[in-house]
Amino acid sequence: MKSQILVTTAFLTILSLSQTAQAANPEHIKQLLASKKCSGCDLSGAGLVMTDLSGADLNGANLAGANLSRANLIGADLRNANLSGASFFGANLSAAKLTGASLVGTDLRRSYLYNAELTSTDINSANVQGATGIPLKSAKPEEFYAWGVAEAQKGNHQAAIDYFSQAIAVKPDYAGAYLARGIARYQIMDRQGAFQDAQVADKLFTSEKNAAGMQTAQAFIQELQTPYVDPALKPAKPTFVDFVGSIGSLLLQFLPF
């Protein structure tokens, strides 16, 4: 989690500096909006919120500190572009070309990255919380897991499930990710899915001889085998989450870095 803190700190610092020290070239902004062709342009600090830049040629452009929140960048060419400190919050970057782009402190929260090209791009230097469609080859399973934990801690259980599923897709024997996904499914009342994940987690933890993992998975299975009763119909009793502590602290036990 230290890496996440450092990334967030860098993001805030770069964003602050970019907003005060950079200004886009007005002619370049006009060129971009008129033609969607602005390779190598200086667009630092530009305000392009919700702009339609689908298919735009921004190869090598300087977009440091620019605000492209919720912009349409489907299929845009952002290769080798400087995106440091830029905001792409909620932007659609599906099929965008980001090879070689600088993403230091870039805000990619809630963005869409389906089929985006991220070769030679360090996505871990950006804030990607809530981003969807991150290519599997762009991150390690432990990183997908960490993003899932962060979403789970905020109560965003479906987003957490998506990240844990990506961790499993990269590393099919990732016991902690199965357990985490099961717990997230439990939170949205998908008891059958939770039970299946808990069983797989128990099997994998057993093969690893991970005592803590086995104990947690088995306690979870026991909880899931207990018939569900609406808490409004009977006095409250300790739940599985009460047994293991907070979800965040539980899942962090299985974060191997």
Side-chain angles (χ1 to χ4, degrees):
M1 300 303 289
K2 288 183 179 179
S3 60
Q4 291 183 327
I5 294 173
L6 291 174
V7 168
T8 302
T9 301
F11 159 67
L12 293 173
T13 301
I14 292 171
L15 183 59
S16 175
L17 292 174
S18 64
Q19 289 176 331
T20 57
Q22 299 174 343
N25 183 317
E27 294 303 316
H28 288 179
I29 292 179
K30 291 180 182 179
Q31 176 183 334
L32 173 65
L33 297 178
S35 67
K36 292 188 180 182
K37 295 182 180 180
C38 215
S39 177
C41 285
D42 180 9
L43 300 165
S44 54
L48 297 165
V49 176
M50 298 182 71
T51 304
D52 180 9
L53 296 173
S54 55
D57 180 3
L58 289 162
N59 191 328
N62 180 13
L63 285 154
N67 189 350
L68 294 102
S69 298
R70 298 185 174 83
N72 179 2
L73 290 150
I74 296 174
D77 185 352
L78 290 158
R79 289 175 295 169
N80 303 307
N82 180 6
L83 309 180
S84 300
S87 174
F88 290 88
F89 180 90
N92 193 337
L93 289 155
S94 298
K97 300 175 182 177
L98 292 157
T99 299
S102 173
L103 296 177
V104 179
T106 305
D107 185 359
L108 290 171
R109 292 174 300 157
R110 305 298 172 190
S111 62
Y112 301 88
L113 293 163
Y114 296 99
N115 299 314
E117 297 178 13
L118 289 159
T119 307
S120 302
T121 303
D122 183 12
I123 195 170
N124 297 303
S125 61
N127 187 339
V128 296
Q129 289 301 316
T132 56
I134 298 173
L136 296 180
K137 295 182 180 180
S138 300
K140 298 177 182 178
E142 294 82 7
E143 290 162 342
F144 282 120
Y145 182 90
W147 296 330
V149 171
E151 292 297 331
Q153 289 176 316
K154 293 186 291 186
N156 299 327
H157 302 301
Q158 187 56 59
I161 289 169
D162 293 340
Y163 279 129
F164 295 138
S165 294
Q166 286 180 285
I168 292 168
V170 179
K171 185 179 179 181
D173 62 348
Y174 197 161
Y178 278 104
L179 177 63
R181 188 174 69 177
I183 292 171
R185 284 174 164 171
Y186 173 77
Q187 295 297 311
I188 61 171
M189 302 303 293
D190 178 7
R191 293 174 69 87
Q192 182 177 355
F195 185 70
Q196 292 172 348
D197 280 342
Q199 287 185 309
V200 175
D202 183 36
K203 181 179 179 180
L204 291 171
F205 279 131
T206 299
S207 66
E208 296 172 2
K209 298 182 180 179
N210 185 326
M214 291 165 55
Q215 180 182 12
T216 304
Q218 289 166 14
F220 189 25
I221 289 171
Q222 183 176 356
E223 166 75 14
L224 291 166
Q225 289 175 327
T226 303
Y228 175 75
V229 177
D230 189 334
L233 302 178
K234 70 172 188 175
K237 70 173 184 177
T239 64
F240 169 73
V241 174
D242 293 324
F243 172 74
V244 298
S246 71
I247 294 175
S249 62
L250 164 66
L251 300 184
L252 288 174
Q253 295 180 41
F254 304 107
L255 186 62
F257 67 93

